[in-house]
Amino acid sequence: MPIEFTIDHEKRFVHARVLGVITLKDIEEFTDRVVAQDALTYRKLFDASKGDGTYTDEDVMALAARAAAYATLAKRGPLALIPRPGVGAELAKRYINLGKFTGEARIFDGADEALAWLEAQAKPPASET
């Protein structure tokens, strides 16, 4: 599969990287595995900055519908997306919009910024410390 990923149950963190060209089927398989391993509520970093996709507008709609359906299963953990520059960023925006993410998904230009945001999401707010 052109998506390499690890699920760290202790840290409640999923790290995925796109290696090559991905299709809708690849993303569906990845998300199904995340759900099957009970990691939907974990923080997730999806780095597609070095990959490419072969999907249509209909594919993006189907994937977003799947994401919205997952939201009915459990509260989804924060998602940091690092799209490939150009068209990838536009697709990421549409995915977040259509997938009914409520503030817990953001788009980043690089891994350092994305990881810092995800790390901040793991800490309780100052009022709870």
Side-chain angles (χ1 to χ4, degrees), residues 10-28:
E10 186 176 315
K11 293 182 180 177
R12 301 181 53 81
F13 181 70
V14 178
H15 186 191
R17 292 183 320 140
V18 175
L19 305 171
V21 179
I22 60 172
T23 65
L24 173 64
K25 183 174 172 46
D26 296 319
I27 297 173
E28 288 175 338

Side-chain angles (χ1 to χ4, degrees), residues 5 7 14 24-42 44 46 59-77 79 95 98-102 104:
F5 68 96
I7 297 176
V14 178
L24 173 64
K25 183 174 172 46
D26 296 319
I27 297 173
E28 288 175 338
E29 287 177 9
F30 163 71
T31 55
D32 286 348
R33 289 167 90 179
V34 168
V35 170
Q37 290 203 29
D38 208 19
L40 188 60
T41 61
Y42 294 4
K44 291 172 275 312
F46 191 87
D59 291 343
V60 174
M61 294 290 284
L63 185 59
R66 180 182 281 245
Y70 285 147
T72 66
L73 297 175
K75 183 176 181 340
R76 295 172 291 187
L79 170 65
Y95 171 70
L98 297 169
K100 299 188 191 249
F101 289 91
T102 55
E104 72 270 9

